[in-house]
Amino acid sequence: MSQSFYVITWTDVLVSFILVAISLGLIRWWKIGLEKTLLIGTLRTFIQLAGMGYVLTFFFRQRHWLFMVTLVSLMILIAGFEGYRREKEFRIPHYFAIVTGSLFFTVFIVLGIILKFILDVQPWYYPYAMIPIAGMIIGNALNSTTLTVNRFIGELQHRDQEIEMLLSLGAPARVAVQDPLRNSIRAALIPNINSLMMVGLVQLPGVMTGQILSGVDPLIAVRYQIMIMYMWITTVIIVDILVLAFVYRQFFTPRIQLRRHLLLKKHL
Amino acid sequence: MNKEPLFRLTSVSKSIAGKTLLNDISLRIEAGDFLSILGPSGAGKSTLLRLFNGLDSPTGGTIEYLGKPLFSYPMTELRKRVGMVFQNPVMVRGTVRDNLCLTQRWGQPSVDLTEETLVSVLSRVGLSPAILDQDTKTISGGEKQRVALARVLLNKPEVLLLDEPTANLDPQLARHILRLVHQLFEKLRLTIIMVSHDHSLLSNYTTRIAFLIGGKIVEEGAAGILEQPSTEAVKTFLAGGVT
């Protein structure tokens, strides 16, 4: 084999729809009832990523730090809106601000450390590093906060009597929800910690696979992957703790009363 | 000089999502009262009880505790002084000891939670020290209710709020729990506010009764009003009819 990496053409991508067709056939056979959603998801992936390719090509040509910071901020705002949309059925006060603020803080801390101290890219806003890494951090943080907040609300719904019992004994709000907080963060962390345990043994992670397929030396690819794994776990811990630190307060009045009405789903 | 009552409720109302649960309730509770709030299910009894320790706020009217607005007290302190036992005695995971020592999770407990203190509080509620290290999953409903009572007593409360504490117990056990509550009332000089829909067991224990029907106090007085109620709504309720 003479070529150093495999170039995938648009025709090849269309052929990959065979995989989707298999999935569609299976969920139809089992009457799972998600055909339309899967189809829409598949098409959205195609359109969004194809569009992103062209957009990225444009972004990578830019050479101004303000452009890059604005771009990352815009990505965070969109993620914040998506996070808010996912929890819309519960009317958590200030949720958009909480998620967006937590994402901003987390992204700039983690991204800052990676760009400045690990990759040491020059200039620090070098788009080939900044955009994909920011994207990974934001995406991972968003999924994790959704998981954590959903679990937290579920815990509150099931343990409302226990929480009020603790409040009635004189517990501060933070102590009354200590177990739900801990369980929610653990639920979000465990899959990530499991990935840390299993990576390289069973599973070859996406970034590393992509790099190797693109012809990068595996020893360089694994170094990137190690950094990314550490980045993921740190992102999840920082963002989940931050979001929950603000979210749990929304479920209590200043008189330390549980706002039970927030535990009911809003009919959309 | 006119002594301030323990609680003074003036024109208290409570509405949730446009539905009135409590309507224009005025009530004076003196230190040392054993007040039973009686009424049919859905009358607003538990809603009223939750106002006394600030687990809920009224939407109208005022509540005073010892002459000061209830919500002017730091809530965590007030709730130690006004303890509450719920209808469903919720236990946290772990042993009876874990449940009795819950207050150690925050701040300074009201009493030193030594072995001696725990044994003594268990004996007050009629439980043997052997139960201390049992998992709460393995104890009965009546035992859980007594552990819940002991847990509140460790806060050294001045007032005990009881939300249908005998609702899930058989009649014999219910009588036992009521006797126990009455002993605590006499020995510890507690003020007790108890909510119940079952009047048959109360006459021997309570000093005052308030009938709450349809979110309003329709009649209130000494325990004797159980025998001679003056309003039709209370007569119907006591006769077991729909009010």
Side-chain angles (χ1 to χ4, degrees):
Chain A
M1 191 181 70
S2 58
Q3 67 193 120
S4 61
F5 63 96
Y6 295 97
V7 174
I8 186 165
T9 64
W10 286 114
T11 320
D12 296 332
V13 173
L14 287 177
V15 175
S16 69
F17 273 111
I18 292 170
L19 298 171
V20 180
I22 294 171
S23 310
L24 273 173
L26 281 172
I27 62 169
R28 203 181 171 85
W29 180 37
W30 271 63
K31 295 187 172 60
I32 292 167
L34 281 173
E35 293 94 328
K36 198 177 158 195
T37 316
L38 176 63
L39 208 57
I40 292 172
T42 308
L43 289 174
R44 277 186 62 164
T45 299
F46 183 86
I47 294 165
Q48 286 163 203
L49 284 181
M52 180 55 83
Y54 289 106
V55 173
L56 282 176
T57 311
F58 166 75
F59 288 159
F60 286 175
R61 288 201 204 104
Q62 308 305 312
R63 288 291 179 268
H64 198 287
W65 69 269
L66 191 60
F67 181 87
M68 289 303 149
V69 171
T70 310
L71 180 67
V72 172
S73 302
L74 196 65
M75 288 161 74
I76 293 172
L77 275 175
I78 294 169
F81 184 76
E82 173 63 13
Y84 167 74
R85 196 189 61 78
R86 290 180 190 178
E87 300 300 339
K88 218 174 167 184
E89 57 187 4
F90 297 100
R91 286 154 288 189
I92 306 173
H94 315 299
Y95 191 63
F96 174 71
I98 292 172
V99 173
T100 311
S102 305
L103 285 173
F104 260 107
F105 183 84
T106 310
V107 168
F108 280 95
I109 292 279
V110 177
L111 190 63
I113 291 172
I114 290 175
L115 294 182
K116 188 72 196 157
F117 300 110
I118 300 173
L119 298 180
D120 194 18
V121 291
Q122 299 294 338
W124 59 267
Y125 53 86
Y126 183 55
Y128 278 84
M130 192 167 183
I131 295 173
I133 294 173
M136 275 194 286
I137 298 172
I138 295 168
N140 207 44
L142 176 65
N143 287 335
S144 189
T145 52
T146 306
L147 192 68
T148 312
V149 172
N150 277 342
R151 174 64 186 257
F152 182 65
I153 295 172
E155 290 266 330
L156 294 188
Q157 285 169 329
H158 285 106
R159 302 174 80 158
D160 57 338
Q161 292 186 351
E162 180 186 324
I163 292 164
E164 289 206 319
M165 178 274 287
L166 290 165
L167 294 180
S168 76
L169 286 172
R174 169 78 178 74
V175 178
V177 292
Q178 189 172 305
D179 286 348
L181 285 174
R182 187 170 43 214
N183 289 350
S184 314
I185 292 182
R186 283 175 70 99
L189 276 186
I190 285 170
N192 287 282
I193 293 176
N194 285 344
S195 295
L196 288 180
M197 303 288 185
M198 294 310 294
V199 69
L201 296 179
V202 180
Q203 149 212 23
L204 281 186
V207 173
M208 191 176 126
T209 311
Q211 279 190 312
I212 293 171
L213 278 173
S214 309
V216 171
D217 180 348
L219 280 176
I220 296 174
V222 292
R223 276 179 247 158
Y224 267 96
Q225 191 60 48
I226 292 170
M227 178 195 76
I228 285 164
M229 299 299 289
Y230 295 165
M231 175 183 88
W232 274 349
I233 196 83
T234 313
T235 301
V236 167
I237 291 173
I238 296 176
V239 82
D240 286 348
I241 287 178
L242 258 181
V243 166
L244 281 189
F246 288 100
V247 162
Y248 93 82
R249 288 177 166 86
Q250 311 306 317
F251 285 89
F252 292 93
T253 68
R255 293 171 172 174
I256 324 180
Q257 299 157 330
L258 184 63
R259 286 182 158 136
R260 286 172 165 271
H261 65 280
L262 292 181
L263 300 178
L264 304 172
K265 276 189 181 178
K266 185 167 80 172
H267 298 291
L268 296 174
Chain B
M1 196 181 77
N2 198 12
K3 195 173 159 262
E4 287 292 350
L6 197 64
F7 283 105
R8 182 189 281 134
L9 279 69
T10 312
S11 302
V12 165
S13 59
K14 173 83 182 170
S15 307
I16 295 178
K19 193 181 168 201
T20 304
L21 304 176
L22 298 174
N23 187 6
D24 194 24
I25 289 184
S26 295
L27 204 57
R28 190 183 158 105
I29 300 167
E30 306 291 344
D33 273 351
F34 188 142
L35 172 71
S36 294
I37 300 170
L38 285 174
S41 297
K45 303 185 299 293
S46 297
T47 308
L48 176 59
L49 199 69
R50 291 164 60 89
L51 301 180
F52 288 104
N53 69 346
L55 272 188
D56 272 328
S57 301
T59 42
T62 56
I63 305 175
E64 287 178 8
Y65 181 65
L66 292 169
K68 281 169 61 184
L70 186 84
F71 292 104
S72 68
Y73 291 88
M75 280 299 111
T76 50
E77 284 307 309
L78 178 89
R79 288 173 187 153
K80 280 187 188 173
R81 293 167 69 175
V82 184
M84 186 164 185
V85 175
F86 296 84
Q87 182 175 340
N88 177 21
V90 184
M91 298 283 118
V92 297
R93 268 180 223 153
T95 61
V96 170
R97 184 191 298 275
D98 295 331
N99 274 273
L100 293 180
C101 297
L102 266 180
T103 51
Q104 276 180 338
R105 288 189 186 180
W106 62 90
Q108 188 68 31
S110 302
V111 290
D112 276 343
L113 297 171
T114 59
E115 193 74 12
E116 198 186 341
T117 315
L118 299 183
V119 169
S120 151
V121 79
L122 284 178
S123 103
R124 259 197 203 292
V125 296
L127 289 173
S128 137
I131 205 172
L132 254 181
D133 291 310
Q134 271 191 41
D135 193 311
T136 51
K137 280 182 193 151
T138 65
I139 65 175
S140 70
E143 286 169 329
K144 279 183 187 162
Q145 197 55 282
R146 279 180 279 185
V147 172
L149 200 52
R151 191 167 57 189
V152 174
L153 291 178
L154 284 169
N155 262 345
K156 295 230 166 229
E158 296 156 10
V159 184
L160 203 52
L161 307 173
L162 302 166
D163 188 2
E164 306 233 21
T166 58
N168 299 326
L169 308 176
D170 65 59
Q172 199 183 347
L173 200 52
R175 264 193 294 276
H176 183 78
I177 294 282
L178 279 178
R179 261 201 305 275
L180 187 68
V181 168
H182 193 252
Q183 281 168 14
L184 295 172
F185 167 68
E186 289 193 322
K187 284 186 188 162
L188 302 178
R189 296 174 190 280
L190 292 169
T191 301
I192 290 182
I193 307 172
M194 184 165 85
V195 149
S196 180
H197 67 274
D198 183 0
H199 54 87
S200 61
L201 299 168
L202 286 173
S203 54
N204 295 334
Y205 306 110
T206 191
T207 60
R208 281 178 64 206
I209 292 181
F211 288 97
L212 185 72
I213 296 174
K216 290 188 107 167
I217 301 269
V218 292
E219 199 170 334
E220 192 221 328
I225 62 168
L226 264 180
E227 309 301 325
Q228 285 178 315
S230 60
T231 59
E232 280 309 311
V234 173
K235 283 178 191 167
T236 313
F237 165 66
L238 290 175
V242 179
T243 52

